Amino acid sequence: MDRQAQFRARETLIFQVAEQLLLENGESGMTLDALAAELDLAKGTLYKHFQSKDELYMLLIIRNERMLLEMIMDSEKAFPEHLAFFMLHHLHHPERTVLFHQIEERLSITGQGIQHLFSELYKVRRHRLRLIINMTETYLGSIQSLMSVRDYLASIWSLTYGAAAILNSSFYQRYLGSRDTLRVAYIDQALALPKQVSS
């Protein structure tokens, strides 16, 4: 394996372990010392891959956004499948959805020297949204729904984010019963929405 391939393989592992530590311990418990210890690397080696903890967080968010982009680029899937995949990506790991959203909001206000990473994140997100808008428009036309693309996409996002917040809540978890049943109910609800606004 050449040096560049080794660097990329190590970076992938760093991101995987960093995300795992972040999800298990939250922001306050995710330290670069803990990350270095978990990976059995010198802390200085981590700085070859990112300059600060904020930069690491942004790289994790971008990585997640790229994963969502790759999912939407699968042209074999019909719209309902894409919607289910998107929602399950968030609802199987609600703690990631909630945490990444909170971190992104915080960094947009307090982040230092990471504006270029926000530009990269928004570029990936815009690309994904263009694909989603076209796909949604085609789908709504095919079922003769009068719902606008904007309203439908906003409804899907708010339903997904709200569901993630509930699934992530220690209070509500006591009353939810089967999480799988709830996930399916949310997806069914999202698919039913535009059919209620049909011509």
Side-chain angles (χ1 to χ4, degrees), residues 22-187:
L22 181 61
L23 298 182
E24 284 171 4
N25 307 306
E27 268 196 271
S28 56
M30 213 303 272
T31 66
L32 296 184
D33 286 326
L35 179 59
E38 189 75 26
L39 291 158
D40 197 21
L41 290 173
K43 196 171 167 184
T45 305
L46 296 179
Y47 289 116
K48 292 177 182 174
H49 297 271
F50 51 85
Q51 300 303 308
S52 65
K53 204 198 282 193
D54 284 353
E55 190 172 308
L56 171 62
Y57 289 155
M58 279 303 296
L59 291 169
L60 289 176
I61 292 168
I62 291 167
R63 186 170 168 261
N64 186 57
E65 198 69 37
R66 285 207 176 106
M67 210 182 299
L68 289 167
L69 174 60
E70 280 169 29
M71 280 163 53
I72 206 80
M73 289 175 94
D74 182 353
S75 56
E76 299 294 304
K77 289 187 179 72
F79 180 87
E81 272 184 287
H82 277 295
L83 181 137
F85 266 80
F86 170 79
M87 290 185 75
L88 288 173
H89 174 82
H90 291 288
L91 301 185
H92 274 303
H93 297 283
E95 69 287 0
R96 178 180 59 200
T97 295
V98 172
L99 196 54
F100 278 12
H101 181 71
Q102 288 169 348
I103 291 171
E104 183 184 331
E105 287 301 303
R106 179 181 63 74
L107 291 178
S108 71
I109 299 161
T110 64
Q112 297 292 311
I114 53 171
Q115 278 63 39
H116 65 292
L117 291 174
F118 269 103
S119 298
E120 192 178 332
L121 173 65
Y122 296 157
K123 186 179 166 189
V124 176
R125 200 169 276 166
R126 275 194 302 270
H127 184 185
R128 185 168 68 85
L129 277 172
R130 275 196 296 271
L131 295 172
I132 290 170
I133 287 166
N134 290 338
M135 191 184 292
T136 308
E137 202 165 28
T138 303
Y139 175 69
L140 291 175
S142 75
I143 62 166
Q144 296 182 309
S145 176
L146 297 177
M147 195 172 200
S148 73
V149 171
R150 186 201 64 183
D151 288 355
Y152 190 32
L153 290 178
S155 299
I156 290 168
W157 171 241
S158 50
L159 193 61
T160 304
Y161 186 76
I166 287 172
L167 287 165
N168 195 49
S169 158
S170 53
F171 175 78
Y172 284 111
Q173 276 176 30
R174 283 176 252 164
Y175 304 98
L176 290 178
S178 166
R179 293 173 132 223
D180 286 335
T181 310
L182 193 64
R183 288 182 189 108
V184 171
Y186 276 120
I187 292 167

